[in-house]
Amino acid sequence: MIRLILLCFTILLFTNCTQQPKVDLKYLNGYWEIDRVVDSFGKNEKKYNFNPMVDYFKTTDSIGFRSKLKPNFTGNYQGSKQKLKYRISHKNGKYVITYNSISGSWNDILIEASDDQICIKNKQGIYYFYRKFTPIQL
């Protein structure tokens, strides 16, 4: 009986751990391009096959910035010098990104950060999935 209980507990623990998205903040840094956007109900999805702009994230000790850049064929990036500053905190088992700009502040939730994908959910419940950007070099 005890073995059965331990087996059930182990299976439950394993399935819960494997179903949780992985968040490793070291993977947030770098160049990311939007892959798809999914609404809060999961019914509507918009796929992006080509992106003229990429998002660049740079985080050090939970403080960072995000900027929009346009890659070119020489391997360089062009963009505004505007950087959206943020702070990442861990609250109630979630990674909260708090952005601060001239127009105000708001929070997003970092759902996943792995070596090949990040997912960010905004306050309207919309999910933004990003893939690692690979520059095209001629």
Side-chain angles (χ1 to χ4, degrees):
M1 182 66 173
I2 293 177
R3 287 184 185 176
L4 180 61
I5 293 171
L6 286 174
L7 179 63
C8 290
F9 178 76
T10 303
I11 290 171
L12 180 65
L13 181 65
F14 178 73
T15 56
N16 280 342
C17 289
T18 58
Q19 291 175 354
Q20 293 293 328
K22 182 179 177 183
V23 174
D24 192 338
L25 293 179
K26 72 179 180 185
Y27 292 119
L28 182 60
N29 290 330
Y31 299 92
W32 295 92
E33 64 180 323
I34 192 77
D35 181 43
R36 67 188 193 281
V37 177
V38 180
D39 72 0
S40 59
F41 302 107
K43 294 182 179 182
N44 295 314
E45 178 176 313
K46 180 171 181 170
K47 184 86 168 139
Y48 293 84
N49 294 321
F50 173 76
N51 300 294
M53 303 291 282
V54 296
D55 285 64
Y56 177 71
F57 290 86
K58 177 65 177 167
T59 309
T60 305
D61 296 329
S62 75
I63 297 172
F65 69 89
R66 177 180 182 174
S67 59
K68 293 272 189 196
L69 301 171
K70 183 178 182 179
N72 61 31
F73 292 111
T74 63
N76 295 320
Y77 299 89
Q78 297 175 335
S80 69
K81 298 189 188 305
Q82 197 172 30
K83 296 178 180 177
L84 183 57
K85 295 179 181 179
Y86 62 79
R87 175 181 294 275
I88 299 176
S89 56
H90 194 249
K91 298 177 183 173
N92 300 323
K94 297 178 183 178
Y95 286 93
V96 178
I97 305 172
T98 302
Y99 296 98
N100 289 303
S101 74
I102 295 170
S103 61
S105 66
W106 66 95
N107 294 329
D108 286 343
I109 306 294
L110 182 61
I111 302 295
E112 181 178 355
S114 64
D115 61 341
D116 62 348
Q117 178 173 278
I118 60 173
C119 177
I120 297 173
K121 182 175 93 169
N122 69 10
K123 68 179 181 179
Q124 289 82 18
I126 298 172
Y127 291 84
Y128 294 87
F129 292 88
Y130 294 82
R131 61 181 170 259
K132 192 67 130 179
F133 176 70
T134 306
I136 299 171
Q137 298 203 356
L138 300 177

